[in-house]
Amino acid sequence: MKTFRRQVKDEILNRTITRGDELACELIGYLSCREKIENKIIKGELDDEYLNYIGDIRLSSDFNIIIEGNSIEIKSEFNLDEFIIKADHQMKRAYVRGAFIGGGSVSDPKSEYHAEFNFKDEKNALLLSDIFAELGIKSAIIKRQSASVCYIKESDSISDLLIAMGARSMTLQFEDIVVMKSARNDVNRRVNCETANLSKTVTAALRQVEAIEKLQRSGRFEMLERPLYETGLLRLANPDASLNELTILSGGKLTRSGINHRLNKLIELAENVEEI
């Protein structure tokens, strides 16, 4: 039977990446767990599974990437860690995915809430911790023998981590377990209600993102009316935000009910799209 970590990794490796710079950030994240970033260069070894995964994907011209066998070297005109720091959230989430594939793990939530990333270089662990803070994920760093470990203990933050990495099915599974454990361990009706609402919020957000991505794949997203198009972009840029947070992020131009109406319309449109 596959472990929870293995199932998360499988879902991540089944993603389709269309941006070369996104894959490059994922590669840098993968290598950063195992190697030190030397300003504009990082190099190391890829395992066979990950090598097969990236084999047919065209890489960004912003990076000089050389792969010989399982060995890889990434060179850039700028410092790689500074590039990651200044990158947008999509690139940062790609870096997190790569770090998980290269040196991360997450425990079965039935036993405990714990995720961690192991690094040889403490500087890389600090970089990941900074990225987590920007993504709203609470983490901490400890030393374990010669390694620096960036870890996450709170269930909400682990859920946010899974969403950030694109492991949507495993997020739903994780949330279901969280809800069941809360129901067993807490007799307070109010807490149980809030937990259920959190699960509904996560489920709704994932469904919205999937609908928008389906419209993108069909080529119909860019043809939408501007209000729907802009709302779709807002959700894609903030996949884990609540409706209230989206209202704030819209600059107050939209009400909570207005955003909810548009997102439901996007879901309705996606349901009428037939994928080949």
Side-chain angles (χ1 to χ4, degrees), residues 21 24-25 28 37-42 60-64 74-84 86:
D21 50 356
C25 287
I28 295 170
I37 297 177
E38 299 288 352
N39 296 322
K40 301 178 181 180
I41 300 174
I42 188 170
S60 170
S61 58
D62 289 337
F63 299 87
N64 180 18
I74 303 176
K75 295 181 180 179
S76 175
E77 296 178 357
F78 30 75
N79 288 345
L80 296 177
D81 52 356
E82 291 182 2
F83 173 82
I84 298 298
K86 296 178 181 178

Side-chain angles (χ1 to χ4, degrees), residues 178-232:
V178 171
V179 172
M180 287 189 292
K181 288 181 69 174
S182 295
R184 285 197 305 265
N185 299 331
D186 198 333
V187 296
N188 187 297
R189 182 177 180 180
R190 179 179 177 183
V191 172
N192 286 340
C193 181
E194 290 176 352
T195 304
N197 287 339
L198 172 62
S199 180
K200 290 178 182 178
T201 298
V202 172
T203 302
L206 292 174
R207 188 182 177 198
Q208 291 157 7
V209 170
E210 289 174 350
I212 296 166
E213 291 181 342
K214 184 177 181 181
L215 290 171
Q216 284 182 320
R217 290 193 298 271
S218 70
R220 299 186 182 184
F221 182 68
E222 289 74 14
M223 300 169 62
L224 294 174
E225 296 177 357
R226 189 170 186 82
L228 288 177
Y229 179 77
E230 291 179 346
T231 301

Side-chain angles (χ1 to χ4, degrees), residues 47-214:
D47 61 40
D48 291 337
E49 180 181 33
Y50 192 55
L51 183 63
N52 291 334
Y53 164 67
I54 67 171
D56 296 328
I57 301 178
R58 187 173 181 179
L59 301 174
S60 170
S61 58
D62 289 337
F63 299 87
N64 180 18
I65 301 178
I66 302 172
I67 299 178
E68 294 182 356
N70 289 73
S71 298
I72 181 172
E73 180 178 80
I74 303 176
K75 295 181 180 179
S76 175
E77 296 178 357
F78 30 75
N79 288 345
L80 296 177
D81 52 356
E82 291 182 2
F83 173 82
I84 298 298
I85 292 171
K86 296 178 181 178
D88 60 31
H89 278 193
Q90 185 176 354
M91 300 301 100
K92 285 183 169 69
R93 288 193 286 267
Y95 179 89
V96 172
R97 282 200 307 273
F100 182 83
I101 297 170
S105 65
V106 59
S107 299
D108 189 328
K110 292 178 181 178
S111 59
E112 64 172 338
Y113 301 138
H114 183 85
E116 68 178 42
F117 297 73
N118 289 271
F119 294 88
K120 288 185 177 180
D121 184 15
E122 184 179 13
K123 183 179 178 182
N124 294 346
L126 291 169
L127 173 60
L128 181 65
S129 183
D130 288 343
I131 291 173
F132 281 155
E134 186 174 338
L135 296 176
I137 298 172
K138 295 180 181 179
S139 67
I141 295 175
I142 58 171
K143 295 290 291 186
R144 185 183 294 160
Q145 297 179 348
S146 61
S148 293
V149 180
C150 181
Y151 69 92
I152 302 168
K153 295 294 291 184
E154 295 184 6
S155 61
D156 286 352
S157 288
I158 294 176
S159 179
D160 289 341
L161 169 67
L162 296 173
I163 292 173
M165 294 192 300
R168 294 171 187 155
S169 295
M170 295 309 296
T171 302
L172 294 176
Q173 182 176 325
F174 180 88
E175 288 290 345
D176 285 344
I177 294 172
V178 171
V179 172
M180 287 189 292
K181 288 181 69 174
S182 295
R184 285 197 305 265
N185 299 331
D186 198 333
V187 296
N188 187 297
R189 182 177 180 180
R190 179 179 177 183
V191 172
N192 286 340
C193 181
E194 290 176 352
T195 304
N197 287 339
L198 172 62
S199 180
K200 290 178 182 178
T201 298
V202 172
T203 302
L206 292 174
R207 188 182 177 198
Q208 291 157 7
V209 170
E210 289 174 350
I212 296 166
E213 291 181 342
K214 184 177 181 181

Side-chain angles (χ1 to χ4, degrees), residues 9-21:
K9 186 176 180 181
D10 285 346
E11 185 171 3
I12 292 174
L13 292 175
N14 280 328
R15 286 175 51 85
T16 299
I17 297 178
T18 58
R19 290 177 57 178
D21 50 356

Side-chain angles (χ1 to χ4, degrees), residues 234 238 241-256 259:
L234 183 63
N238 305 277
S242 66
L243 291 177
N244 287 335
E245 289 170 336
L246 289 178
T247 300
I248 295 172
L249 291 169
S250 73
K253 297 177 181 179
L254 298 171
T255 63
R256 184 181 185 278
I259 290 178

